[in-house]
Amino acid sequence: NNAVVAEGNGTKVVMTIGSKVAVVNGAEVALDVAPQIVNSRTIVPVGFITGNFGINPTFTYNADGTIADILFTK
């Protein structure tokens, strides 16, 4: 099974590796990018997941403009 499931507080998000369609509480939703496996690690669109669970990311940046840290708050 290539499903990635995140569930909590009455919300269930199901994504399939390689698919740009997720299912949120039974409804299909388009993804900008498909989840994938890279070097034996599952990579998912964090912004999509955090948005569906009401979690707000706050980014801090390095001097060169790259992301240094991401703090997630609810």
Side-chain angles (χ1 to χ4, degrees), residues 26-39:
E28 289 189 352
V29 180
L31 297 169
D32 290 334
V33 63
Q36 55 185 300
I37 297 174
V38 178
N39 296 326

Side-chain angles (χ1 to χ4, degrees), residues 11 13 24 45-57 72-74:
T11 300
V13 176
V24 179
V46 174
F48 179 79
I49 292 174
T50 58
N52 278 283
F53 287 99
I55 299 169
N56 301 310
F72 297 98
T73 57
K74 186 156 176 122

